Amino acid sequence: MTRLHRRTFLVGGLAAAGAPLIGATPANALAYPFTLGVASGEPTADGFVLWTRLAPRPLNADGLGGMPNTPVTVEWQVGLDQAFSQLAASGSATAVQASAHTVHVEVAGLQPDREYWYRFRADGHISQVGRARTAPALGSGSALTMAFASCAHYETGYYTAYRRMAEDRPDLILHLGDYIYEGAAATDRVRTHSPSAEITNLANYRVRHALYKMDVDLQAAHAAAPWLVVWDDHEVENNYANLVRQEGQAPAGDFRARREAAYRAYYEHMPLRSAQSPVRENMQLYRRVNWGGLATFHMLDTRQYRSDQACGDGSQNCPEADAPTRSLTGNAQEQWLLDGMGQKFGTWDIIGQQVFFAQRLAADGKRSMDAWDGYTANRKRIQDGWQARGNTSTVVLTGDVHRSWAANLMNNYTTQDKVIGTELVTTSISSDGDGDASHTGVTPTNPHVKFYKNLRGYVRTSITPTRMNVDYRAVDKVSVRDMPVKTVQSYVIEAGNPGLQAP
């Protein structure tokens, strides 16, 4: 990990302001190593993280990307314009085989609330150019365009929604989990997984991440804006809970070792800070990111610390789900969230997390044991906590369910007494393949749930100090490349007035 401040930019490497990335390619140079693109993430008021990985043969079975077991110097530049006619920052980092020749650069010393462009050079090769931006300084900031997405099963569809998201040129992108899928390859889908077997070790997780990152539409979305990422279950294994694996379906083996491999590969392939670097099978992923005085993003981890799903998982009528000792977040993360919501650095408190937060009952009263309905006491403590702290502009962002939903969050879901927040649920990028726009999932059993759509896509938001404009964006098919995108529903959320309003 490299952390460089402005005072170090004039030392070594690509030091001179405006210096181009030039130089002849050595005769013994690698093949083009930037096959997985570039990315930025974790914006602050003075910087962000830059990411790339050197992998000239990214699908090699050993997971090492065709790289030799030697350190490689990777130079990087941050430009004030896309032509890099003037540099804001530059330096170098060392990529080593132990981390699959990935690079995480923590850039600091930049100006708040502005665009930058970045690129890398290694062994004479120049990477693609990415666009990043810094957050506003605390107390400032007037607007933010933010998009969020989840669930991108490579086999079940093309990543057109990522491409359309990039074309919207957001300031920030959130990914709420299931960035990869761990399962074995199928024979009847749009594309095919590599490796072909279910992934369980570090080499295979690295290859699966590389396969996904080779997709040019995903690369376009990463290059378009900084990302904030959190995982869900498929980055490791379907429906796992802490160190308890999926009920009765998982392959044999040491699950602790599998989680360690999965977390390590995830960190290696995401634009995350060194604070998130895993230690064996543990990784501190929940964290807070401030967007000036406009918004605070509370990014949750609802997999690593949770109690096992009640009543054997699935959809159940299960009194055990209401036990006060059950937790989706774990006690430490719950208190961290409520402490952060009490700080009130921004108008909006935006909770980026994975599974359906609002109550969602089937007609027979059954609830999903994998979602917050399986951990109702934990949900109530969090909802009561933000009300006690006076938070009136709370928005929960959700992935996981491969459908678009929008819901008002209620103080009491049984009596429907008071709206205390808003939940926006994004559909999948590609998981479940082409949808069915004719079906409705809005039912009388859930009067607080206002919208449902079964098409693939993402959610785009435009956030100001007084309102959040919300557009649910969708493509008609993911079995066909390059479909157009359309807005299928829009809402307004007013600051200080929780709940969904017509635009």
Side-chain angles (χ1 to χ4, degrees), residues 25-64:
T25 301
N28 61 346
L30 298 167
Y32 186 71
F34 298 109
T35 58
L36 307 184
V38 299
S40 69
E42 305 299 302
T44 63
D46 77 334
F48 34 71
V49 175
L50 301 180
W51 174 93
T52 194
R53 179 186 171 194
L54 308 181
R57 295 189 295 277
L59 300 185
N60 276 11
D62 62 5
L64 300 177

Side-chain angles (χ1 to χ4, degrees), residues 412-459:
N412 186 304
Y413 291 97
T414 301
T415 64
Q416 297 280 301
D417 59 341
K418 181 174 68 170
V419 178
I420 62 167
T422 316
E423 182 172 19
L424 307 175
V425 183
T426 181
T427 184
S428 65
I429 290 290
S430 60
S431 301
D432 277 354
D434 294 337
D436 176 7
S438 64
H439 178 67
T440 178
V442 176
T443 66
T445 55
N446 303 297
H448 52 283
V449 176
K450 306 300 182 183
F451 172 66
Y452 169 95
K453 182 71 74 173
N454 179 15
L455 288 174
R456 311 288 77 87
Y458 59 96
V459 180

Side-chain angles (χ1 to χ4, degrees), residues 6-25:
R6 186 177 299 277
R7 64 180 177 271
T8 70
F9 293 157
L10 300 180
V11 180
L14 306 169
L21 283 164
I22 60 174
T25 301

Side-chain angles (χ1 to χ4, degrees), residues 35 118 198 221 294 380 466 493:
T35 58
Y118 63 94
E198 181 162 342
L294 186 64
K380 179 170 171 50
T466 60
I493 306 168

Side-chain angles (χ1 to χ4, degrees), residues 338-351:
L338 292 176
D339 287 347
M341 295 187 76
Q343 293 172 5
K344 299 181 182 176
F345 285 128
T347 300
W348 300 91
D349 282 286
I350 301 176
I351 301 174

Side-chain angles (χ1 to χ4, degrees), residues 324-486:
T325 56
R326 293 183 48 72
S327 179
L328 196 65
T329 59
N331 294 333
Q333 185 178 193
E334 177 185 320
Q335 191 58 54
W336 167 88
L337 173 61
L338 292 176
D339 287 347
M341 295 187 76
Q343 293 172 5
K344 299 181 182 176
F345 285 128
T347 300
W348 300 91
D349 282 286
I350 301 176
I351 301 174
Q353 58 95 51
Q354 295 76 24
V355 294
F356 215 101
F357 189 85
Q359 179 175 283
R360 182 165 58 104
L361 303 179
D364 59 3
K366 291 182 178 179
R367 304 173 275 167
S368 169
M369 294 298 99
D370 191 58
W372 287 87
D373 275 339
Y375 305 82
T376 57
N378 190 190
R379 177 173 64 197
K380 179 170 171 50
R381 289 192 300 270
I382 289 173
Q383 290 195 163
D384 289 350
W386 83 53
Q387 290 185 83
R389 288 158 176 78
N391 298 86
T392 58
S393 302
T394 300
V395 179
V396 177
L397 309 182
T398 301
D400 182 58
V401 290
H402 308 171
R403 308 291 188 271
S404 298
W405 302 77
N408 293 331
L409 300 176
M410 310 304 295
N411 178 62
N412 186 304
Y413 291 97
T414 301
T415 64
Q416 297 280 301
D417 59 341
K418 181 174 68 170
V419 178
I420 62 167
T422 316
E423 182 172 19
L424 307 175
V425 183
T426 181
T427 184
S428 65
I429 290 290
S430 60
S431 301
D432 277 354
D434 294 337
D436 176 7
S438 64
H439 178 67
T440 178
V442 176
T443 66
T445 55
N446 303 297
H448 52 283
V449 176
K450 306 300 182 183
F451 172 66
Y452 169 95
K453 182 71 74 173
N454 179 15
L455 288 174
R456 311 288 77 87
Y458 59 96
V459 180
R460 181 181 65 193
T461 63
S462 177
I463 306 169
T464 73
T466 60
R467 58 191 278 158
M468 179 183 298
N469 296 318
V470 180
D471 294 322
Y472 284 84
R473 306 274 279 165
V475 296
D476 285 332
K477 291 181 180 294
V478 292
S479 59
V480 178
R481 287 188 184 274
D482 207 34
M483 295 291 290
V485 69
K486 58 188 177 183

Side-chain angles (χ1 to χ4, degrees), residues 173-424:
I173 292 173
L174 273 59
H175 199 286
L176 302 180
D178 295 345
Y179 185 93
I180 65 165
Y181 279 68
E182 82 287 10
T187 59
D188 58 348
R189 291 175 173 166
V190 174
R191 302 191 282 188
T192 303
H193 265 158
S194 179
S196 59
E198 181 162 342
I199 54 175
T200 59
N201 61 45
L202 179 58
N204 288 347
Y205 278 106
R206 283 170 168 170
V207 173
R208 188 65 59 85
H209 272 281
L211 175 71
Y212 280 53
K213 271 197 153 57
M214 287 171 67
D215 184 277
V216 294
D217 294 329
L218 174 54
Q219 289 189 17
H222 271 299
W227 283 41
L228 298 178
V229 300
V230 285
W231 54 40
D232 194 15
D233 51 344
H234 288 288
E235 287 86 354
V236 182
E237 177 183 279
N238 182 51
N239 276 26
Y240 82 95
N242 197 329
L243 286 169
V244 179
R245 60 195 326 162
Q246 182 184 15
E247 301 285 343
Q249 299 179 38
D254 181 347
F255 184 67
R256 191 182 298 268
R258 181 179 183 178
R259 197 177 94 168
E260 178 178 348
Y263 284 10
R264 181 173 170 185
Y266 183 84
Y267 175 79
E268 287 173 347
H269 289 86
M270 296 296 158
L272 290 164
R273 296 184 180 275
S274 58
Q276 277 62 65
S277 181
V279 179
R280 295 181 295 278
E281 75 278 8
N282 304 308
M283 182 170 157
Q284 173 79 41
L285 193 60
Y286 66 85
R287 62 209 187 279
R288 220 173 330 268
V289 174
N290 295 310
W291 196 268
L294 186 64
T296 303
F297 291 91
H298 311 270
M299 305 299 289
L300 300 190
D301 175 354
T302 64
R303 284 293 160 192
Q304 187 173 182
Y305 313 104
R306 66 159 69 195
S307 309
D308 191 17
Q309 292 91 343
C311 298
D313 208 352
S315 182
Q316 304 280 349
N317 250 317
C318 177
E320 180 191 336
D322 303 320
T325 56
R326 293 183 48 72
S327 179
L328 196 65
T329 59
N331 294 333
Q333 185 178 193
E334 177 185 320
Q335 191 58 54
W336 167 88
L337 173 61
L338 292 176
D339 287 347
M341 295 187 76
Q343 293 172 5
K344 299 181 182 176
F345 285 128
T347 300
W348 300 91
D349 282 286
I350 301 176
I351 301 174
Q353 58 95 51
Q354 295 76 24
V355 294
F356 215 101
F357 189 85
Q359 179 175 283
R360 182 165 58 104
L361 303 179
D364 59 3
K366 291 182 178 179
R367 304 173 275 167
S368 169
M369 294 298 99
D370 191 58
W372 287 87
D373 275 339
Y375 305 82
T376 57
N378 190 190
R379 177 173 64 197
K380 179 170 171 50
R381 289 192 300 270
I382 289 173
Q383 290 195 163
D384 289 350
W386 83 53
Q387 290 185 83
R389 288 158 176 78
N391 298 86
T392 58
S393 302
T394 300
V395 179
V396 177
L397 309 182
T398 301
D400 182 58
V401 290
H402 308 171
R403 308 291 188 271
S404 298
W405 302 77
N408 293 331
L409 300 176
M410 310 304 295
N411 178 62
N412 186 304
Y413 291 97
T414 301
T415 64
Q416 297 280 301
D417 59 341
K418 181 174 68 170
V419 178
I420 62 167
T422 316
E423 182 172 19
L424 307 175

